[in-house]
Amino acid sequence: MSGGVDSSVAGYLLREQGYDVIGVTMKVWPQDCISRAEDKCCGPQAVADARSVAHSLGIPIMWSMKPISSNAW
């Protein structure tokens, strides 16, 4: 769950249809993203947005701050 429109609406619609919905957010941005203001879709602000949206929709959210390296692929 990114906190953006697509994942938020998908979570909302699934929840309204009776599905058990859990939001998941993972850190997939580079370490230096923390200091770059232009990275609004993939940085720390995205995690805060996802948590806020999930809370307002009543969707529990899990998140991982463990970085994913290029070796994982």
Side-chain angles (χ1 to χ4, degrees):
M1 191 164 188
S2 67
V5 174
D6 296 342
S7 60
S8 300
V9 171
Y12 171 79
L13 291 174
L14 288 167
R15 193 168 165 271
E16 288 296 304
Q17 292 175 21
Y19 289 93
D20 292 328
V21 178
I22 297 172
V24 178
T25 301
M26 296 186 321
K27 178 185 179 195
V28 293
W29 61 86
Q31 188 62 32
D32 67 347
C33 179
I34 292 170
S35 62
R36 298 187 309 188
E38 70 272 11
D39 286 325
K40 294 185 178 115
C41 68
C42 66
Q45 186 58 49
V47 173
D49 292 345
R51 289 171 73 187
S52 176
V53 169
H55 178 73
S56 68
L57 295 175
I59 296 173
I61 190 163
M62 300 183 314
W63 57 285
S64 171
M65 294 299 288
K66 182 177 181 182
I68 296 177
S69 72
S70 60
N71 296 333
W73 309 109

